[in-house]
Amino acid sequence: MTVTYHDSNTRMSQATVHNGTVYLAGQVPDDASGDMFGQTEQVLAKIDRLLAAAGTSREHLLSAQIWVTSMAEFDQMNAAWDAWVVPGRPPVRAAIEAKLAKPEWKVEIMVTAALPEA
């Protein structure tokens, strides 16, 4: 079985594709100066780009894992998420409060998606 790797460096890939499934690495904002809503929007835009490069989209999401640095800002993340997720196609999802690798990051999201059937 073939595995393809996208946007890789020596440590990791941003996406891998295997057996009709696309796995993304955790995505964080590029500009961490914004609030939770703005950082979440940035992350979701990155997810859109990575999924498109791998041949799929948010319409085919299977699962999502979300890490936020403060549950006090959880509603802001959910507002951005709810505006982004395809109505009628929400993936399974888990969200937890966690300390992220850089203190300025407020959110990290990792998703898995199916490739559309040909």
Side-chain angles (χ1 to χ4, degrees), residues 15-93:
T16 59
V17 181
H18 175 260
N19 201 25
T21 305
V22 178
Y23 304 88
L24 296 190
Q27 300 301 308
V28 294
D30 291 325
D31 176 6
S33 65
D35 62 7
M36 177 72 77
F37 183 85
Q39 287 194 24
T40 303
E41 284 187 318
Q42 287 181 57
V43 170
L44 296 173
K46 288 174 77 173
I47 289 170
D48 278 335
R49 287 190 297 274
L50 287 164
L51 291 174
T56 191
S57 70
R58 67 179 108 147
E59 292 181 350
H60 302 284
L61 287 178
L62 300 171
S63 67
Q65 295 173 312
I66 303 171
W67 298 269
V68 296
T69 56
S70 172
M71 283 298 180
E73 299 175 284
F74 191 65
D75 289 344
Q76 289 183 47
M77 183 281 299
N78 271 331
W81 175 270
D82 291 345
W84 177 81
V85 75
V86 176
R89 293 180 169 248
V92 298
R93 188 184 105 162

